[in-house]
Amino acid sequence: MLLNLLLTFTFLMVGVKSDPDSLQDYCVFLPPLSHQQIFINGVLCKDPTQATVSDFKTSALSRPGNTHVKPFMINVTVTTTANLPGLNTMGLTMARLDFGASGTVPPHVHPRASEVTVCLDGVLLVGFVDTSGRVFTQELHPGETFVFPKGLIHFLYNIDTVCSALAVSGLSSQNPGTQIVSLSSFIPKSPIPEEVLKSAYDINGHKVC
Ligand SMILES: *[C@@H]1O[C@H](CO)[C@@H](O)[C@H](O)[C@H]1NC(C)=O
């Protein structure tokens, strides 16, 4: 019984943790000299004695992104190991989300990260869908925070049809990955067979036998 509890607890802990822990204080990203031939779980790090304070600072999120790009009218700017090399192995990403009027971050998933979002300006309608199909949705006002569990479909929408909105997110991976549900289905690099999409999305003329 105790062993069972312990095992369950251990599995739960494994299930919710972020990226693997670093074995050193830091592992500042070292850009490869030529095309990288080896692939590791993360990126290479430079000699720790060569690290400088600028490796741990970025202005990447200081400027608003251009939100005039159709169809979503949003712009998401993120920290990466390229613009913030000290981020490597820390299990973190920060994102700046600029919303134009009625801007939408369409339903998407991050396969490797949970996300916590703070609304800084404007009013956002945010939400996620769990694996049983329950939808959790809320209006988020300035200073309010919402959490999107790892791997679940979620969305953010600026309910204001005139004014812009701003939010900041933290994600529990240095490489959260993003799959936008609609784009992944309909504009993938090599298309999903049309018959499959017709059937899956019940698009015109699907024959019922
Ligand atoms: C986001 O905004 C930046 C800065 O204005 C711009 O360079 C970039 O093209 C925009 N990205 C998208 C996807 O609209």
Side-chain angles (χ1 to χ4, degrees):
M1 175 71 179
L2 261 181
L3 185 67
N4 265 342
L5 273 178
L6 191 69
L7 280 177
T8 310
F9 186 66
T10 310
F11 279 125
L12 281 176
M13 292 301 286
V14 169
V16 297
K17 73 175 188 179
S18 58
D19 297 351
D21 276 341
S22 183
L23 295 174
Q24 51 223 350
D25 285 354
Y26 45 82
C27 174
V28 175
F29 170 47
L30 177 72
L33 291 176
S34 57
H35 182 67
Q36 190 176 331
Q37 296 295 330
I38 44 170
F39 292 90
I40 57 174
N41 192 20
V43 288
L44 300 176
C45 41
K46 62 160 82 162
D47 177 348
T49 63
Q50 301 299 307
T52 65
V53 68
S54 65
D55 290 324
F56 301 93
K57 186 205 165 184
T58 181
S59 305
L61 309 188
S62 63
R63 290 169 299 276
N66 165 21
T67 59
H68 298 293
V69 184
K70 287 178 179 168
F72 302 128
M73 315 303 272
I74 50 126
N75 195 307
V76 180
T77 317
V78 295
T79 59
T80 62
T81 50
N83 62 26
L84 187 57
L87 194 75
N88 189 31
T89 74
M90 299 296 149
L92 295 168
T93 293
M94 289 299 293
R96 174 190 176 122
L97 297 88
D98 288 289
F99 295 80
S102 301
T104 312
V105 181
H108 66 285
V109 297
H110 302 297
R112 289 177 289 277
S114 299
E115 176 173 359
V116 58
T117 300
V118 187
C119 176
L120 297 181
D121 190 26
V123 183
L124 299 173
L125 181 67
V126 301
F128 69 87
V129 191
D130 76 8
T131 56
S132 77
R134 273 185 80 188
V135 177
F136 297 78
T137 179
Q138 269 292 297
E139 266 186 20
L140 217 55
H141 294 258
E144 294 183 328
T145 303
F146 196 81
V147 64
F148 304 104
K150 180 175 176 174
L152 297 184
I153 293 178
H154 61 286
F155 56 86
L156 304 97
Y157 170 69
N158 176 12
I159 63 171
D160 201 301
T161 54
V162 180
C163 300
S164 58
L166 175 65
V168 166
S169 285
L171 296 110
S172 61
S173 168
Q174 75 180 47
N175 187 18
T178 299
Q179 269 189 312
I180 296 177
V181 179
S182 54
L183 296 186
S184 300
S185 296
F186 293 102
I187 324 179
K189 284 173 186 143
S190 62
I192 295 176
E194 201 178 301
E195 293 312 302
V196 176
L197 290 177
K198 275 186 181 168
S199 173
Y201 288 92
D202 197 16
I203 297 169
N204 67 34
H206 176 55
K207 210 165 64 182
V208 182
C209 301

